Amino acid sequence: TTEPKYPQMLLIAINKQGVNLIDPSTKDVLATYPFTKISNWSSGGTYFHMAIGNLVRGSKLLCETTLGYKMDDLLTSYISLMLATMNKNKKRKGTGLQAGQGGKHA
C-alpha cells in the first residue's frame, strides 16, 4: 500500500461489514470502512484503488496486487446488495406494509 500510516504489506478483508485493513504479522484490524464511507474504487491487472470519505475529509488507498479485479467485483457485489436492500426497505415503508403483510385482507 502507498498509505504511510499502514504497513507496506496489508491483508484486506471484504465482508458484509465493509472493508477491513489487517496487519498480516499481528492480525490486528487497523481500520474498518463501512460501505457507506467508500466513495469510489477501481482496479487493474496490478492494482486496487479505493477512495474513502469525500474530497474535503477523505483518504485514498492504493495497493499493488494481482487480485484487484476480484476485490473490485466483491466490493461491487456487496454494495449492490446493500443498495437493493435499502431500496426494498424504502418501498416497503412507502406502502405502509410491513414485512410479511399482503395487500388484501380476508
Side-chain angles (χ1 to χ4, degrees):
T1 170
T2 56
E3 181 61 46
K5 68 180 179 179
Y6 297 127
Q8 188 172 359
M9 297 289 286
L10 269 180
L11 290 174
I12 299 178
I14 301 172
N15 59 28
K16 65 183 179 179
Q17 276 75 43
V19 177
N20 302 281
L21 306 181
I22 302 168
D23 184 322
S25 56
T26 64
K27 305 297 188 258
D28 289 337
V29 176
L30 304 174
T32 298
Y33 298 106
F35 298 124
T36 54
K37 298 291 184 197
I38 300 168
S39 56
N40 196 1
W41 66 94
S42 62
S43 66
T46 59
Y47 73 93
F48 177 76
H49 177 261
M50 184 172 73
I52 300 117
N54 57 40
L55 288 174
V56 178
R57 297 197 57 191
S59 61
K60 296 177 183 174
L61 183 71
L62 177 61
C63 301
E64 183 179 341
T65 178
T66 57
L67 298 174
Y69 68 97
K70 286 190 176 189
M71 296 165 69
D72 188 321
D73 185 52
L74 193 55
L75 196 51
T76 300
S77 296
Y78 271 117
I79 289 179
S80 295
L81 179 64
M82 181 188 75
L83 290 173
T85 302
M86 286 170 55
N87 286 336
K88 189 188 296 182
N89 289 341
K90 218 181 264 188
K91 286 179 184 173
R92 201 177 280 148
K93 286 180 183 174
T95 62
L97 295 176
Q98 298 297 318
Q101 283 186 324
K104 296 181 179 178
H105 297 282

